[in-house]
Amino acid sequence: MSVEDLEIPDVKIIRLPKHGDDRGFFTETYSRRKFADAGVNVDLVQDNHAFSAHKGTLRGLHFQVPPFAQAKLVRVARGAILDVAVDLRVGSPTFGRHVSAVISAEEWNQIFVPVGFAHGLLTLESNTEVLYKVSDVYSPEHDKGLLWNDPALGIAWPVTDVILSPKDRAQPLLANLPAYFQFEGVKP
Ligand SMILES: Cc1cn([C@H]2C[C@H](O)[C@@H](COP(=O)(O)OP(=O)(O)O[C@H]3O[C@H](C)C(=O)[C@H](O)[C@H]3O)O2)c(=O)[nH]c1=O
């Protein structure tokens, strides 16, 4: 497996070996030890599966706040997404900035989004199946959001006429977000 830091290095792209044979293929999609050895040291406690029937479906930008904050390991078993992570850690040199990557069945890659980031995805194909593991359980009371097209974020979504849930149409702007997360890293 390989791990590549994105421009915000806490967010990482993971590439996994696919063991093919004449029957098909096998992949270890997560290994606590192998991921820790590769620098992604996270216990994942819940598996999620999101099916989106239509291209242009946008889910996000979401995050859970402490004590139920979640890191996420996201992959696509069918189709493709543009995956986006926004740094919400107050004091971070990249606060309010985002990184994005295409995660797809074809690429067979994953993205690791740590605690402290809002996460969203836009499907690039119809019938896209997103499978992701999270580091804490779902807690509706701690499930918060950020408006997907907040101008302060400057996310260059490839489409604007997206399919959104009613909840996601009404998410708050970054300027109105409480300081849910504090940056604990080392400033460069
Ligand atoms: C997230 C979640 C949801 N649900 C239930 C609650 C609703 O009845 C239904 C759909 O929930 P929601 O509209 O919040 O689902 P998404 O819009 O796909 O939310 C996800 O979208 C982006 C990509 C994220 O990063 C989060 O993982 C997550 O917030 O599933 C559960 O039962 N458990 C869960 O962990």
Side-chain angles (χ1 to χ4, degrees):
M1 71 183 276
S2 70
V3 179
E4 170 204 350
D5 294 351
L6 291 180
E7 298 78 16
I8 300 175
D10 310 85
V11 185
K12 303 176 185 300
I13 298 297
I14 297 159
R15 289 180 174 79
L16 299 163
K18 227 179 190 178
H19 305 292
D21 62 29
D22 54 8
R23 299 167 300 169
F25 71 84
F26 182 94
T27 295
E28 287 183 14
T29 52
Y30 170 68
S31 160
R32 178 73 180 81
R33 180 180 59 80
K34 290 179 182 175
F35 274 55
D37 290 349
V40 183
N41 191 11
V42 62
D43 285 310
L44 299 168
V45 300
Q46 178 178 306
D47 263 338
N48 297 330
H49 183 154
F51 171 73
S52 300
H54 303 293
K55 176 178 177 181
T57 300
L58 195 145
R59 298 172 182 260
L61 298 160
H62 302 155
F63 55 96
Q64 290 195 170
V65 298
F68 289 92
Q70 294 173 321
K72 297 168 185 170
L73 181 64
V74 184
R75 69 187 183 96
V76 173
R78 180 181 175 197
I81 62 173
L82 178 69
D83 200 277
V84 174
V86 180
D87 190 350
L88 297 181
R89 301 167 300 177
V90 174
S92 166
T94 53
F95 176 82
R97 286 179 45 198
H98 70 279
V99 287
S100 64
V102 172
I103 306 297
S104 70
E106 184 177 358
E107 284 290 320
W108 206 241
N109 55 353
Q110 302 190 33
I111 187 168
F112 175 71
V113 180
V115 163
F117 286 74
H119 175 247
L121 60 91
L122 173 73
T123 59
L124 303 176
E125 296 178 17
S126 59
N127 299 316
T128 286
E129 310 240 23
V130 182
L131 310 180
Y132 57 108
K133 293 176 174 306
V134 292
S135 62
D136 212 326
V137 295
Y138 178 53
S139 173
E141 299 73 31
H142 297 83
D143 190 22
K144 308 297 181 187
L146 173 59
L147 190 65
W148 68 285
N149 61 349
D150 179 348
L153 304 179
I155 300 171
W157 298 103
V159 292
T160 52
D161 58 338
V162 296
I163 297 168
L164 280 172
S165 67
K167 175 182 78 171
D168 287 347
R169 292 191 183 283
Q171 297 289 9
L173 299 174
L174 179 67
N176 301 331
L177 224 51
Y180 291 122
F181 304 100
Q182 295 299 321
F183 180 67
E184 295 169 1
V186 176
K187 291 190 179 181

